[in-house]
Amino acid sequence: MRSKFRGTLIGSAVGDALGAPVEGCTADEISIFQNDIVEGRYTDDTELMIGVAESLIDKRGFDGADMAHKFLRNYHAWRRYGPGTRAVLELLREGVSWEKASTMIFGGNGSYGNGAAMRIAPIGLFYCDDIDTLWEIAYRASHITHSHVLGKEGAAIMACSIALALRGYRDREKMLNYLTARTREDIYRDKLIKIEQLLDADKQTVIEELGNRETAFESVITAIYSFIRFDNFKDSVSYAIGLGGDTDTIGAMTGAICGAYYGLEAIPAEWVDALEDDEKGKSYIIWLADELYRIKFGSG
Ligand code: R7I
Ligand code: MG
Ligand code: MG
């Protein structure tokens, strides 16, 4: 289980770093995707995920004001944040409360970008044995930047997928039945139901049916699909990135689910080796995973 905790957070960071250099490229442009060219710099996806983990650890659970503070403290603009999230962080910095800031963007509707889902992995770990609480906390943690229900639902589905993968659900019927029964949003349910018929589909069909963009409902189910379609970390994450579009984020979300299922040792060593290891890099992310594990299971 400790290896799965590490695998989740490192898997997410690795997927982010691998996808980052080709973010915004089309599938055709990436069709000569080469796994041996690895830069190892992560982006906003991982920087925000680190903030989620740090806050859960410091507060022994969810605390919105503290998590918002962690996001601000860790923020580096050059890691390429989404415009909505950048605007919310600016409002928080000006002193607007974490409950209010996210409701002030996109004409008051709030964001349905995938920025809440891409950082949610630590919540999937921390609340893995209580899906009702996990779902509720995923919503509250999303609200810091994403107040639109579809942004929150995408994050809850992602957190739940990670919890199920930790418990060993890859059997597609079991996992998909669980998620389909749980979600209350049609756009997600309809895409989950489609997965079964898409298992041999070509890339273009998958992109059209499930999406590869930076909205939550055009990326979260794509990551779940990439996990289910293959039987190992490398193939799933390479495939997810090869779809093009929001490659770092779909890579990160696929990497998190795969890491939760297969564990750290299943991530290609050359990918882990290449991951940056500066102040808050690989070693620190492993430490965060171990702390979450220690707090949760009370040992070592
Ligand atoms: O969700 P968010 O943090 O973006 C994450 C993406 C990832 O790909 C990261 O790697 C990083 O590159 O950014 O940032 P938002 O700006 O809140 O949402 C992402 C995009 O979704 C927005 O820029 C919009 O294009 C779209 N979007 C919306 N469009 C119209 N109306 C999100 N919410 C809305 C909306 O309410
Ligand atoms: Mg990014
Ligand atoms: Mg992205």
Side-chain angles (χ1 to χ4, degrees), residues 16 20 23 43-46 48 79-88 105-119 145-146 148 151 213-219 245-250:
D16 177 16
E23 188 177 17
T43 74
D44 59 327
D45 306 48
T46 304
L48 288 162
R79 297 220 194 246
R80 304 206 311 268
Y81 283 66
T85 295
R86 223 179 317 129
V88 170
I105 60 166
F106 290 112
N109 294 322
S111 173
Y112 49 64
N114 56 20
M118 73 192 185
R119 68 176 188 238
T145 51
H146 290 67
H148 195 290
R213 308 183 52 181
E214 50 184 26
T215 52
F217 47 87
E218 291 171 299
S219 55
D246 195 359
T247 50
D248 64 332
T249 303
I250 302 175

Side-chain angles (χ1 to χ4, degrees), residues 42-55 58 66-81 89 93 119 279-280 284-285 288:
Y42 64 71
T43 74
D44 59 327
D45 306 48
T46 304
E47 190 156 84
L48 288 162
M49 179 191 79
I50 289 170
V52 171
E54 289 173 338
S55 184
D58 276 3
D66 183 75
M67 197 173 280
H69 175 73
K70 280 356 191 226
F71 291 166
L72 277 180
R73 191 186 64 180
N74 291 342
Y75 179 71
H76 292 100
W78 58 267
R79 297 220 194 246
R80 304 206 311 268
Y81 283 66
L89 292 177
R93 200 181 294 287
R119 68 176 188 238
E279 194 199 345
K280 290 191 178 177
Y284 184 68
I285 294 168
L288 290 172

Side-chain angles (χ1 to χ4, degrees), residues 202-218:
D202 59 35
K203 278 187 183 170
Q204 212 45 51
T205 309
V206 172
I207 294 164
E208 278 160 26
E209 297 289 337
L210 302 181
N212 66 351
R213 308 183 52 181
E214 50 184 26
T215 52
F217 47 87
E218 291 171 299

Side-chain angles (χ1 to χ4, degrees), residues 168-297:
Y169 280 50
R170 192 184 145 270
D171 175 274
R172 58 175 174 267
E173 219 166 302
K174 217 167 144 197
M175 187 171 206
L176 295 177
N177 285 346
Y178 194 102
L179 293 170
T180 308
R182 192 89 207 184
T183 183
R184 253 153 264 123
E185 298 298 328
D186 289 345
I187 191 162
Y188 288 105
R189 189 182 308 108
D190 293 348
K191 288 188 174 186
L192 284 165
I193 290 167
K194 274 186 200 161
I195 286 182
E196 194 75 48
Q197 305 138 35
L198 289 173
L199 290 168
D200 300 311
D202 59 35
K203 278 187 183 170
Q204 212 45 51
T205 309
V206 172
I207 294 164
E208 278 160 26
E209 297 289 337
L210 302 181
N212 66 351
R213 308 183 52 181
E214 50 184 26
T215 52
F217 47 87
E218 291 171 299
S219 55
V220 166
I221 307 302
T222 314
I224 295 168
Y225 170 82
S226 299
F227 165 63
I228 286 179
R229 177 164 170 159
F230 302 92
D231 65 358
N232 65 84
F233 187 98
K234 185 172 188 172
D235 287 349
S236 284
V237 172
S238 300
Y239 178 84
I241 292 169
L243 291 172
D246 195 359
T247 50
D248 64 332
T249 303
I250 302 175
M253 295 191 294
T254 305
I257 306 174
C258 291
Y261 185 79
Y262 299 111
L264 179 68
E265 291 70 25
I267 305 176
E270 65 273 24
W271 289 0
V272 179
D273 289 346
L275 186 61
E276 65 176 278
D277 202 12
D278 308 334
E279 194 199 345
K280 290 191 178 177
K282 177 173 38 189
S283 308
Y284 184 68
I285 294 168
I286 288 180
W287 180 81
L288 290 172
D290 288 351
E291 280 293 288
L292 289 169
Y293 178 86
R294 189 179 61 78
I295 293 165
K296 179 130 199 77
F297 297 108

